[in-house]
Amino acid sequence: GAVVSQHPSWVICKSGTSVKIECRSLDFQATTMFWYRQFPKQSLMLMATSNEGSKATYEQGVEKDKFLINHASLTLSTLTVTSAHPEDSSFYICSAVIPGQNNSPLHFGNGTRLTVT
Amino acid sequence: SQQGEEDPQALSIQEGENATMNCSYKTSINNLQWYRQNSGRGLVHLILIRSNEREKHSGRLRVTLDTSKKSSSLLITASRAADTASYFCATNRIQGAQKLVFGQGTRLTINP
């Protein structure tokens, strides 16, 4: 149980285009999802907290107009990288928590490798 | 924001040996969690230890927590080649429910 599916697993796009990454909770409803970014051999940096039915909460230094987050249903959050540039190339990972479970771990998707050429 | 630090950054041992990884953090926490990440994949939760616990076991894993020193350790006993991965600690601050802050990770290599 507690499966999180992330799609696509990798994507290559041209500079200036936009890319959408989907994060789905398959067997539970997730009112809250988290989006992380990870550079090679580095840690995960929290980008934003995605809240179902309301605006996402962005971490300091993350451009909300650059990284659009939509959490329109209890099982889907999307991250859109707008006007992508080569420096946006990274590994993006989403995670979700089962609501109502105090001290419960996060359940992660398998990540999306974004390469901007 | 707090930032966890793990050491060593990289560890290479022979199969069958024990592997110990350490994590330090800076602020008060609600719990500390350890995750594993295979190359190019998402993270898998290994074990969670609450701030009022000192030690926890799960199979070949043993986690300790010393809140006075703001540190934790993860011990993997009788290591296997399949344990090769990166290991991250993550802390959950009291006021930040489910919002985890990850350490830098330890890249563990188990040599057959």
Side-chain angles (χ1 to χ4, degrees):
Chain A
V3 176
V4 175
S5 174
Q6 191 171 338
H7 178 81
S9 56
W10 60 270
V11 59
I12 301 173
C13 71
K14 292 186 177 181
S15 186
T17 61
S18 296
V19 174
K20 180 185 285 189
I21 302 170
E22 293 185 348
C23 182
R24 295 181 184 272
S25 56
L26 297 186
D27 51 0
F28 66 98
Q29 295 183 332
T31 54
T32 302
M33 292 184 176
F34 301 94
W35 287 96
Y36 295 84
R37 181 174 182 175
Q38 184 180 33
F39 290 105
K41 297 184 179 180
Q42 293 190 26
S43 185
L44 281 73
M45 298 301 297
L46 180 64
M47 299 174 66
T49 302
S50 173
N51 304 297
E52 188 270 334
S54 64
K55 292 182 179 180
T57 304
Y58 289 82
E59 294 300 302
Q60 189 174 7
V62 177
E63 301 175 58
K64 61 181 180 181
D65 295 330
K66 171 77 171 174
F67 299 99
L68 299 180
I69 291 174
N70 184 281
H71 195 152
S73 79
L74 286 171
T75 58
L76 174 64
S77 174
T78 61
L79 168 67
T80 302
V81 183
T82 63
S83 187
H85 291 283
E87 56 265 32
D88 297 325
S89 298
S90 190
F91 192 58
Y92 293 87
I93 311 175
C94 71
S95 69
V97 60
I98 297 176
Q101 292 189 2
N102 292 332
N103 288 324
S104 63
L106 294 182
H107 302 281
F108 283 84
N110 276 326
T112 297
R113 174 76 57 196
L114 171 63
T115 303
V116 184
T117 61
Chain B
S1 60
Q2 73 179 106
Q3 183 174 11
E5 296 183 0
E6 279 131 310
D7 79 275
Q9 291 188 345
L11 178 62
S12 181
I13 61 175
Q14 293 299 121
E15 193 168 23
E17 295 179 342
N18 295 341
T20 300
M21 292 159 272
N22 302 297
C23 167
S24 62
Y25 56 93
K26 297 178 180 177
T27 67
S28 297
I29 61 171
N30 184 37
N31 64 60
L32 185 144
Q33 304 176 31
W34 284 90
Y35 288 82
R36 166 197 168 122
Q37 183 183 34
N38 287 343
S39 180
R41 308 281 286 183
L43 277 71
V44 175
H45 176 259
L46 295 176
I47 198 164
L48 180 153
I49 187 166
R50 295 181 175 82
S51 60
N52 61 352
E53 297 176 314
R54 291 296 166 259
E55 187 171 313
K56 205 163 183 179
H57 298 256
S58 176
R60 293 184 296 114
L61 306 180
R62 173 178 169 257
V63 168
T64 64
L65 178 64
D66 188 334
T67 53
S68 66
K69 295 181 179 179
K70 291 186 168 58
S71 67
S72 174
S73 68
L74 170 66
L75 168 68
I76 302 175
T77 60
S79 64
R80 304 167 182 168
D83 294 330
T84 295
S86 290
Y87 292 82
F88 294 91
C89 70
T91 52
N92 181 332
R93 289 188 296 181
I94 295 174
Q95 283 80 27
Q98 306 302 343
K99 183 175 173 180
L100 297 182
V101 177
F102 284 84
Q104 294 301 305
T106 294
R107 293 188 302 280
L108 176 64
T109 302
I110 308 299
N111 301 304

